[in-house]
Amino acid sequence: MNIVLFPSLVRYALAATCLVLMVATVLAVRRGKGGLGAALGVLSLLSGGALAAEALVALTVRLAAPGATEFNEYRWVMLAPWGRLGLALGGGAVIAIVALSWRASRGAPAWRRATMIGLRAGAAVGALVVFLEPAVELRQVAREPNRIAVLIDDSKSMALSESTTGPTRIERARQLLTASGGALAAWEANHKVDYYTFSETISPTSLAALASNQAQGKATLFRKALELVRARYEGRDLAGVVMISDGVSTGGFTEDSGDGAMRDFLRSLETRVHTVWAARKGLKDIAVAKVMADEFAFVRTVVRIDAVIRTTGLPARQVPVTLSTDGQPLRQKMVDFPGGDHDVTVTFEVTPPRVGRYVYEVSVPIAPNEAVTSNNTRSFVIRVIRDKIRVLQVAGQPGWDVRSLRQMLKSNSNVDLISFFILRTQDDISLVPNDEMSLIPFPTRELFEHQLPSFDLIILQDFEYLPYGIGDYLENIRSYVEGGGGLVMLGGAASFTSGGYYGTPVAAALPVELYGPFDSGPVVDTQKFSPQLTEAGQMHPVTSLRYSADDNVAAWKTLPQLEGVNLVASVKPEGTVLAQHPRLRTKAGKPMPVIIAAEYGKGRSLAVTTDTLWKWGFGAAARPGDNGRQYTKFWENAMSWLIQDPVLRNLHVDSDAVEYGPNAPVRVTVRLLGRDYQPLAGGVVSLTVRRGADPSSAEEVSAAKLAVGEDGTVVHELGGLAPGVYRIEGHAAIAGRQVDANDIFLVREGGSELDRPVGDAATLESIAKASGGQALGAVDTLPSDLAFDPPRIVRVDRRTDVELWSRPGLLLLIIGLLGLEWLLRQRSGYL
Amino acid sequence: MTRRRLLGGGLAAAGLLLTRPAHALGPSSKFRFGQLKLGPASAPRPNALRRLGWEIEKRTSIDVDLEPANVAPTADTLHETPFLYLAGEREIELPSAAGIEALRRFLTFGGFLLIDSAEGSTDGAFDGSVRKLMAAVFPTTGSTKGLEIIPSDHVVYKSFYLLDKPAGRLSIAPAMEGVIRDGRLVAAYIANDLGGAWSRDDFGNYEFRCEPGGERQRELAFRMGVNLVMYALCLDYKADQVHVPFIMKRRRWKPDDGALTPTPTPPSPPKPPTNKP
């Protein structure tokens, strides 16, 4: 066992320094610079003395421990109890002795002075050794090999290939390990190599098992993989990590955590991570990378949807980006993409027409030779709610019915009302300058062309359209109702037949047939009357002033009389008469309808053929104890029904979430209410589940007949659903009448692994850099000299201590040096 | 154009040419003044409301029944005429407790009362009895006020004409007083003898001169009458009109993203049945 005090380089440096200083000393002395010569001489001797000391130590150990060759390690120990303080004091004493010697030898010839100082310094160092009692501990030790963890990414993106003929990334990783047999063998000399695959988690593997790995992991979680590796080797000696991946990260390793946080994490691993990039350039892909839309939106209000379209490796092109729902395209934009890799944000705006859930889909067409096609579409759910009921009240003239309705609507905090009243007609006298009047033009075009779809409900009240030139817009009103809007026409001298609506598009949306121009007879009746509820009206949501039918009929009988009705020819087949005139008959002999409801297209319409409903409010309030509440109740009912308020549905079908992961359980709650809106215990509901964005082509995946419990509800569980859009349709019969309900939910693809398939070398480089490892990049073989931490765990088989301070030779050396120094001093005349 | 649309358009055109107009669905559909009778005192300007009604009929779209209805506070017909007019030139008899309660219900649930002083004084006997009446109907308690000055920016001054003060036969009261409940003007009191300005004899001549403004003042008195009726029928409609453009803008429904609306894909035709052996 050879003891070395200095590395080879230092040793050579000391020898060279000794020689150079010696020559410099000679030159300084010849030039008469005695002081400088002495100093250089002292330094030269100190350099040489250091080398001599090392040789002496080695010699001493060799002599003291003849079997030292069996030892393979040594270390210095200090037997004196002085510690670092003693070492510092001793060192200071040596320096002081040298300094004093320098001062005391002033005037002596340079060579002699240097020699005296050198001798005294040597003796002082010898004394210091005795003082500190140093020893060399010789040990025979053996080291345990530590571990190298090789992590191979087996997420789905590793199954991609950059070209149609080239290897996949996982194949490239396999080839790399196969070609690196020599390097792996070299690593095995001092380390043991463990192999793992990683995606959502890590799994031990082997080179043999890797050969059949198909790379199907649903995510690439770098941080989690490294954390798991670190945890796996907790308390064990980890030499380093080699990570082979395409760098495609899910879970936001580089996005969510800032650079600082990532560096802190990687440093906390306390091991270096070398990275190898398994991907190559050249991948072609176009993807809907991200969709940003609010989860909630308001009905009939524009909702903004931002979609990030990402192109990779494709030439410059124009791409149609389409927003769809129910399998039908809603909006489309042609977007120009430059060649190469680009992200472009495309903004769509849509207006949900009704309350409910909507599944939208943003899609781009598949490009030639595209690596991943599953990321060309992205679906998402928007829940559409109502902020306020938006009502447009258009009245042909001010009147008490108009005023009462406006006052009621204005006092309802859930209603956002816009009224337009015709205050002056073309027939009225106008002798007053316009600037002395507060009248404004009737904004027909703005209302009936531009703003119509923004309303939930349109009320036409004694409004004759002809004088205001809105005949061209009546079709808009009809299509508005057909598309899901609500329409009320109230009676009056300018309503229904007498309003000229016969044959107009608005008449098509009404639930009654009007008298034509060639029909004879009156079109209005002016007598007082009390409307009678029909059988349908007794329980209909619009006319239900009380919960039970009997109470409701009784409540209607207490209502003040009305006065005058518009006469109609008949009720349309789809119309439901809720209240009728007690005496008047249609030409067909049926009771003259007063309140009639109907569904038209996706919307609803209500006809009330009188203009004196205000008597149910203000008129009723003449009676002590009656606050006219029935008027408000009637209109609240009517509004809820007209806007198709979900509260008024008899059948409810609701999934417990709007989005699910693959194979996640789906709980569907079915609630069935009777005509009186009380739970319909024992009622049977047919439930059908279909899969597909387009309802016309959705395939049935499940069907069941469910009996609801005492509380009118039953929960139906679905499971094992593949990704896609699902529609639940419920059907039931209540007193012979069919009621329906539906819901929609989305089962997502598992993870976002292929959202961004292009290989990302930068992520791997940042991991390697922050952990102190090496980013090897796109290599074909692993280097055998890759830096790993040496094994730290040792086993000591034998040990012995060699004390240097207690050697007799050391004492003789000190005495000899001091004697020589004394002799020189004497001969120099310093004693 | 499809044949159906052509036929529909033709029918609609025929309907327009042969529209069968009606004139109100009944008496309740028309606007009618209620002349409030308190005690034996007769109305000082018996022709005033008929003349105002005639003007309203001619100047506005309101369908007016020209004959006012005489009503007492406790009459069953009180709520058939939501606009009440009370005029006087001397002290009036306050109604009974039941009458006061009936008036309170009438005004609280949507009625409107216009009080018009014809006595030519702002502190006469009629004025005093009006204040007693209003104090009885709407007692001042805590933050609820009784009669108060109605500011000139109130919507009643712009409900049809743009006005700044309540002119009548006289111009002795610079402002209108009124009672406001739940943000609504339920009673208005003007001491400028509006009825005196409106009133004509059977030959169509105005019965009283308007002082000091003459015929211009009379015109303003009619305008005030129109505005009061219009306010009673439309409430704060005119105040809302100011906000309509902002409401419309806030409720943007029309997509403005520059995208095209593609033609929906027609449903795929059903597959022909396959014959299996």
Side-chain angles (χ1 to χ4, degrees):
Chain A
M1 181 78 212
N2 191 27
I3 306 299
V4 290
L5 295 182
F6 310 112
S8 302
L9 199 62
V10 175
R11 197 176 299 127
Y12 291 130
L14 283 173
T17 304
C18 179
L19 290 173
V20 169
L21 289 174
M22 201 169 285
V23 173
T25 303
V26 171
L27 292 174
V29 169
R30 285 190 178 176
R31 293 186 182 179
K33 296 181 178 176
L36 179 61
L40 293 173
V42 168
L43 293 174
S44 173
L45 288 174
L46 287 177
S47 302
L51 292 173
E54 184 187 33
L56 278 173
V57 169
L59 179 64
T60 303
V61 171
R62 192 170 297 129
L63 293 174
T69 50
E70 298 172 7
F71 297 102
N72 55 4
E73 271 192 8
Y74 71 92
R75 64 172 185 166
W76 288 92
V77 292
M78 195 163 66
L79 302 179
W82 321 124
R84 292 179 187 273
L85 180 62
L87 182 62
L89 289 173
V94 170
I95 292 169
I97 288 170
V98 172
L100 289 171
S101 179
W102 174 264
R103 189 176 178 186
S105 60
R106 199 181 308 153
W111 278 113
R112 186 165 295 173
R113 190 181 181 192
T115 306
M116 286 191 298
I117 293 170
L119 290 171
R120 187 173 289 191
V125 170
L128 182 63
V129 169
V130 174
F131 175 70
L132 294 176
E133 301 179 11
V136 176
E137 182 187 278
L138 299 174
R139 301 193 299 176
Q140 187 183 33
V141 299
R143 289 189 175 272
E144 291 286 337
N146 55 1
R147 302 278 176 163
I148 297 172
V150 178
L151 301 180
I152 302 111
D153 185 352
D154 71 340
S155 61
K156 276 185 181 175
S157 64
M158 288 290 285
L160 299 177
S161 171
E162 279 74 19
S163 66
T164 52
T165 55
T168 64
R169 294 167 182 175
I170 191 74
E171 287 169 351
R172 196 174 287 128
R174 282 197 287 264
Q175 290 169 2
L176 170 78
L177 291 170
T178 305
S180 303
L184 295 175
W187 296 355
E188 294 274 5
N190 293 315
H191 315 280
K192 285 194 173 178
V193 182
D194 298 328
Y195 297 94
Y196 300 92
T197 55
F198 77 98
S199 51
E200 299 155 289
T201 184
I202 64 169
S203 305
T205 188
S206 64
L207 290 175
L210 205 58
S212 59
N213 192 307
Q214 296 301 310
Q216 290 299 308
K218 293 174 180 171
T220 309
L221 306 178
F222 286 122
R223 181 178 180 128
K224 186 177 178 184
L226 292 171
E227 281 175 343
L228 290 173
V229 166
R230 183 69 267 180
R232 204 174 185 89
Y233 291 94
E234 191 66 46
R236 297 163 69 187
D237 190 7
L238 182 61
V241 176
V242 177
M243 178 177 269
I244 305 170
S245 171
D246 55 8
V248 177
S249 167
T250 57
F253 183 74
T254 54
E255 292 171 11
D256 292 350
S257 44
D259 287 347
M262 186 187 75
R263 273 199 304 273
D264 291 345
F265 163 71
L266 290 168
R267 281 176 187 159
S268 72
L269 293 174
E270 295 179 339
T271 190
R272 62 190 81 194
V273 181
H274 304 292
T275 57
V276 179
W277 192 43
R280 297 292 185 269
K281 293 183 178 177
L283 182 132
K284 292 181 174 59
D285 186 55
I286 180 166
V288 183
K290 190 187 287 186
V291 174
M292 293 160 286
D294 290 336
E295 187 179 347
F296 288 93
F298 291 121
V299 68
R300 298 184 184 279
T301 303
V302 163
V303 56
R304 177 181 166 135
I305 297 162
D306 290 321
V308 178
I309 311 298
R310 176 173 295 147
T311 56
T312 305
L314 292 171
R317 59 177 52 210
Q318 193 176 52
V319 176
V321 183
T322 308
L323 177 72
S324 313
T325 189
D326 290 345
Q328 298 298 320
L330 287 179
R331 314 285 292 165
Q332 190 175 69
K333 276 188 175 179
M334 299 299 292
V335 182
D336 290 314
F337 284 89
D341 303 348
H342 292 280
D343 281 6
V344 173
T345 300
V346 182
T347 299
F348 291 109
E349 290 184 341
V350 291
T351 310
R354 279 181 301 283
V355 173
R357 294 176 183 173
Y358 291 82
V359 175
Y360 290 98
E361 182 183 86
V362 177
S363 61
V364 290
I366 296 170
N369 298 324
E370 192 176 345
V372 181
T373 57
S374 63
N375 60 13
N376 289 41
T377 63
R378 185 176 281 266
S379 300
F380 55 99
V381 180
I382 293 180
R383 287 189 243 210
V384 180
I385 57 176
R386 191 184 304 281
D387 55 347
K388 287 191 172 187
I389 304 168
R390 300 171 173 185
V391 179
L392 171 64
Q393 180 192 18
V394 181
Q397 62 169 294
W400 295 119
D401 211 33
V402 173
R403 203 289 297 271
S404 295
L405 186 53
R406 173 175 165 78
Q407 188 174 357
M408 188 279 296
L409 294 171
K410 284 285 286 184
S411 64
N412 189 330
S413 58
N414 291 322
V415 172
D416 196 2
L417 174 68
I418 290 184
S419 301
F420 277 98
F421 300 160
I422 305 300
L423 302 186
R424 191 183 68 177
T425 66
Q426 294 167 342
D427 300 332
D428 296 321
I429 298 169
S430 177
L431 300 174
V432 178
N434 282 338
D435 61 356
E436 294 182 22
M437 305 180 76
S438 65
L439 305 185
I440 58 169
F442 187 28
T444 51
R445 184 185 169 102
E446 177 72 10
L447 275 181
F448 295 106
E449 185 169 313
H450 298 310
Q451 297 295 341
L452 205 58
S454 74
F455 294 99
D456 296 302
L457 177 61
I458 298 173
I459 300 172
L460 299 179
Q461 197 165 10
D462 198 13
F463 176 69
E464 186 182 8
Y465 71 91
L466 185 58
Y468 310 105
I470 66 165
D472 291 342
Y473 304 122
L474 296 186
E475 171 57 25
N476 293 356
I477 297 176
R478 190 205 61 78
S479 62
Y480 157 81
V481 181
E482 188 177 42
L487 171 69
V488 183
M489 182 174 281
L490 283 162
S495 286
F496 298 102
T497 300
S498 51
Y501 287 98
Y502 175 80
T504 66
V506 167
L510 291 175
V512 291
E513 296 286 2
L514 305 182
Y515 283 124
F518 303 108
D519 288 321
S520 60
V523 291
V524 298
D525 181 84
T526 60
Q527 299 301 307
K528 289 186 177 180
F529 70 99
S530 289
Q532 294 177 335
L533 278 182
T534 62
E535 188 178 346
Q538 291 176 12
M539 295 302 297
H540 195 277
V542 172
T543 43
S544 291
L545 303 179
R546 293 283 187 275
Y547 278 115
S548 76
D550 293 342
D551 289 350
N552 195 32
V553 172
W556 274 74
K557 286 180 177 172
T558 65
L559 293 174
Q561 280 193 315
L562 305 180
E563 192 173 301
V565 289
N566 293 79
L567 303 180
V568 297
S570 61
V571 178
K572 289 181 180 174
E574 62 271 23
T576 303
V577 180
L578 309 179
Q580 60 196 17
H581 200 283
R583 300 180 301 274
L584 298 175
R585 293 287 185 271
T586 63
K587 288 185 176 174
K590 293 186 177 178
M592 182 62 66
V594 177
I595 302 174
I596 315 99
E599 303 207 350
Y600 181 74
K602 294 178 180 175
R604 290 177 172 176
S605 66
L606 183 73
V608 180
T609 60
T610 180
D611 63 351
T612 49
L613 287 185
W614 63 273
K615 287 177 174 279
W616 290 355
F618 181 69
R623 301 180 294 206
D626 191 336
N627 59 5
R629 167 70 190 155
Q630 309 291 25
Y631 174 80
T632 305
K633 176 68 176 167
F634 171 80
W635 276 113
E636 286 175 350
N637 287 350
M639 279 194 295
S640 295
W641 182 80
L642 284 159
I643 65 170
Q644 304 180 43
D645 192 332
V647 174
L648 287 182
R649 289 186 195 146
N650 295 85
L651 178 60
H652 298 259
V653 174
D654 299 297
S655 59
D656 59 340
V658 292
E659 291 188 14
Y660 298 88
N663 300 316
V666 177
R667 286 168 59 87
V668 180
T669 302
V670 178
R671 189 157 59 98
L672 183 62
L673 305 175
R675 293 180 62 182
D676 54 357
Y677 289 91
Q678 299 299 309
L680 191 63
V684 177
V685 178
S686 300
L687 202 68
T688 308
V689 182
R690 299 179 193 279
R691 178 173 178 267
D694 186 350
S696 64
S697 59
E699 56 174 332
E700 183 176 315
V701 295
S702 169
K705 280 196 179 298
L706 308 168
V708 300
E710 288 294 319
D711 60 351
T713 65
V714 62
V715 176
H716 184 61
E717 288 216 5
L718 302 165
L721 298 177
V725 177
Y726 286 84
R727 300 169 180 279
I728 317 169
E729 297 164 5
H731 306 282
I734 302 173
R737 183 177 160 200
Q738 190 76 16
V739 292
D740 306 310
N742 55 67
D743 195 15
I744 193 167
F745 65 86
L746 181 66
V747 176
R748 281 206 172 283
E749 294 276 355
S752 54
E753 173 65 20
L754 296 180
D755 289 351
R756 188 172 189 158
V758 63
D760 182 4
T763 298
L764 298 178
E765 285 171 9
S766 61
I767 291 173
K769 185 179 176 185
S771 65
Q774 187 177 346
L776 298 171
V779 294
D780 295 326
T781 57
L782 294 168
S784 57
D785 59 348
L786 204 55
F788 293 106
D789 292 337
R792 290 199 304 266
I793 299 172
V794 297
R795 189 181 68 246
V796 179
D797 296 329
R798 200 176 148 209
R799 56 184 289 177
T800 185
D801 289 342
V802 177
E803 295 181 356
L804 298 177
W805 64 280
S806 60
R807 300 290 152 191
L810 179 61
L811 193 60
L812 291 174
L813 178 66
I814 295 170
I815 293 171
L817 291 173
L818 286 175
L820 280 174
E821 194 259 352
W822 181 82
L823 190 64
L824 275 175
R825 288 169 68 83
Q826 187 184 44
R827 294 187 64 174
S828 303
Y830 284 91
L831 287 176
Chain B
M1 179 180 281
T2 63
R3 190 185 332 171
R4 186 178 171 186
R5 285 179 69 92
L6 182 66
L7 287 171
L11 278 173
L16 294 180
L17 292 171
L18 299 168
T19 295
R20 303 167 66 190
H23 300 287
L25 293 191
S28 297
S29 301
K30 291 189 173 185
F31 176 82
R32 188 183 190 192
F33 287 108
Q35 181 99 43
L36 184 63
K37 304 286 285 183
L38 295 178
S42 59
R45 315 284 186 232
N47 296 324
L49 290 181
R50 189 178 297 116
R51 299 313 307 181
L52 176 62
W54 189 87
E55 292 289 340
I56 292 170
E57 176 85 24
K58 294 302 172 192
R59 297 180 185 215
T60 74
S61 60
I62 301 171
D63 212 0
V64 182
D65 184 341
L66 297 180
E67 200 58 46
N70 290 324
V71 291
T74 53
D76 292 341
T77 56
L78 180 68
H79 282 244
E80 291 182 3
T81 50
F83 192 109
L84 288 183
Y85 176 73
L86 172 64
E89 54 188 352
R90 58 181 65 90
E91 185 174 4
I92 54 173
E93 187 177 302
L94 290 184
S96 62
I100 294 291
E101 175 59 23
L103 272 179
R104 187 183 300 122
R105 287 184 67 82
F106 174 88
L107 296 173
T108 302
F109 286 103
F112 184 83
L113 172 62
L114 170 61
I115 304 171
D116 183 18
S117 172
E119 66 180 343
S121 166
T122 56
D123 55 357
F126 179 76
D127 179 82
S129 54
V130 163
R131 294 184 190 284
K132 285 179 187 171
L133 174 67
M134 285 294 98
V137 175
F138 293 112
T140 305
T141 54
S143 58
T144 57
K145 298 178 181 176
L147 275 175
E148 58 181 305
I149 299 292
I150 304 302
S152 61
D153 61 350
H154 192 275
V155 70
V156 74
Y157 288 108
K158 55 188 175 188
S159 57
F160 193 81
Y161 294 107
L162 297 173
L163 303 172
D164 55 3
K165 60 182 181 181
R169 178 179 65 85
L170 304 171
S171 187
I172 54 177
M176 179 195 306
E177 291 180 82
V179 177
I180 293 176
R181 287 291 179 274
D182 296 328
R184 183 172 69 89
L185 179 66
V186 299
Y189 171 39
I190 298 173
N192 288 332
D193 190 12
L194 289 167
W198 300 336
S199 192
R200 293 189 194 218
D201 60 22
D202 292 339
F203 297 102
N205 302 312
Y206 289 113
E207 294 185 81
F208 305 98
R209 289 186 57 184
C210 291
E211 294 176 347
E215 291 310 303
R216 171 66 181 171
Q217 186 172 316
R218 190 187 307 281
E219 169 61 21
L220 292 178
F222 273 113
R223 293 183 189 181
M224 191 72 245
V226 171
N227 270 23
L228 285 161
V229 171
M230 200 60 87
Y231 174 79
L233 290 173
C234 301
L235 302 178
D236 57 348
Y237 165 68
K238 275 296 168 190
D240 268 14
Q241 292 301 301
V242 178
H243 307 297
V244 166
F246 301 101
I247 296 171
M248 292 286 199
K249 191 174 181 183
R250 186 190 73 209
R251 304 177 355 170
R252 190 167 70 87
W253 68 273
K254 199 169 189 176
D256 188 23
D257 54 0
L260 305 171
T261 302
T263 309
T265 310
S268 51
K271 293 177 182 176
T274 52
N275 295 322
K276 291 184 180 178

